Amino acid sequence: MAKVLIIGAGVAGASAALALEQAGWDVVVVDKARRPGGRCATRRLSADPASPWFDYGAQYFTARTAPFRDRVAHDLEAGILARWTPQVCVAERGEHGWQLNSSPDDRERLISPNGLNHWVRYLFEQADIDVRCGQGVRGLYRTAKGWRADLGEHGRLHADAVVLTAPAVQAAALLGERTQAFPVLGEARHRLSPCHSLVVAAPAVPDCQALFVHQGPLSWCADNSHKAGQTHSDARLWTLHAGPQFSAEHLEDTPESIATTLTREFANITALSTRQMRLVRTHRWRYARPGPVAEALDPPCQAVPDEGIVLAGDWLAGGRVEGAWRSGAAAAAQLTD
Ligand SMILES: Cc1cc2nc3c(=O)[nH]c(=O)nc-3n(C[C@H](O)[C@H](O)[C@H](O)COP(=O)(O)OP(=O)(O)OC[C@H]3O[C@@H](n4cnc5c(N)ncnc54)[C@H](O)[C@@H]3O)c2cc1C
């Protein structure tokens, strides 16, 4: 049985793993993080498994293409996914300060009742995929028989083929001189933009559980307690995302200074007071969402078929969870074809 090494246990890795397992490959997935999920990142307030959770990476996703819709239909049926129907507002700054206007955008928003990370973990678990977390690939080398991945203290892994789903900059670092085989890596650092993410405990905002902001440092605010189905608590968990321009200009600022700016802005927009807010978590996503040169490829992956290596990930598919899924599936097709 041919063996494939999938680097990255995010959505693209899961999609590729499921398709290759189904096609009869011996699949091993490694991820440098402590758990699968990648940018579908969820945490709980405390170690208590009953404590409230929040997503601090992807907030929800949409499903427009047929094969992905099939997957979603299955997972909705299994209760691992659910539809989220918040009251969505757009914040607009006018002469008299901020105004929250109801958004006409009523697309189907998909979440997982225990956080999006839970869904990605489920994808790997229900197919019994061999996923090894806490194992970062330090170097990737072509051998006479296929590929060798160096995993530092975890040794080496040999495989006939590789699907590399790390964000572009990290993929380029692993490939070294072989980067040249992948023209798409030419402007790797412009493929994904950064995002500062903040989680604060704060009261509910009347008639608004999700907020698009098109001016100033913030771009998105979401009441994650509403996603979790909690309706009565006054201390709700809000995830705040900074926009790409602010995040890039303040990439190296301290978490404290980012938190001060974003909570003040959130308070201004919602007419809450910063005294009503408590900081729960800050996170800097260095490679978050499509950057200036993130056009989607067709197919949404890049392969060197003779060498059995394929690059995959949302950054090759126009971004988003659905893009990552499509890219992983396309990468698997390159190997099975
Ligand atoms: C703040 C934020 C908000 C977002 N909001 C949305 C949203 O609302 N809707 C939506 O659809 N999408 C959203 N996204 C985008 C979405 O999260 C991504 O498109 C999707 O999760 C990408 O999946 P992926 O598998 O391509 O990459 P990733 O999830 O980044 O997975 C790549 C994996 O590779 C691993 N890795 C990297 N290097 C190595 C190495 N050397 N060795 C081993 N493992 C390695 C990483 O640890 C990671 O787990 C958001 C993203 C962010 C950051």
Side-chain angles (χ1 to χ4, degrees), residues 40-60:
C40 287
T42 308
R43 286 284 182 281
R44 288 191 180 274
L45 258 190
S46 71
D48 177 355
S51 69
W53 60 263
F54 51 87
D55 288 321
Y56 62 98
Q59 295 293 294
Y60 65 85

Side-chain angles (χ1 to χ4, degrees), residues 7-13 30-33 37-40 56-62 135-138 165-167 170 174 195 197 241 285 287-289 313-315 319-322 324:
I7 301 173
V11 175
V30 293
D31 199 299
K32 64 181 180 178
R39 278 169 277 158
C40 287
Y56 62 98
Q59 295 293 294
Y60 65 85
F61 62 89
T62 48
Q135 301 200 9
V137 177
R138 309 266 176 89
T165 75
Q170 296 165 346
L174 281 185
C195 175
S197 171
H241 286 159
W285 294 100
Y287 310 110
R289 285 179 290 203
D314 64 334
W315 57 277
R320 299 172 189 271
V321 167
E322 182 166 15

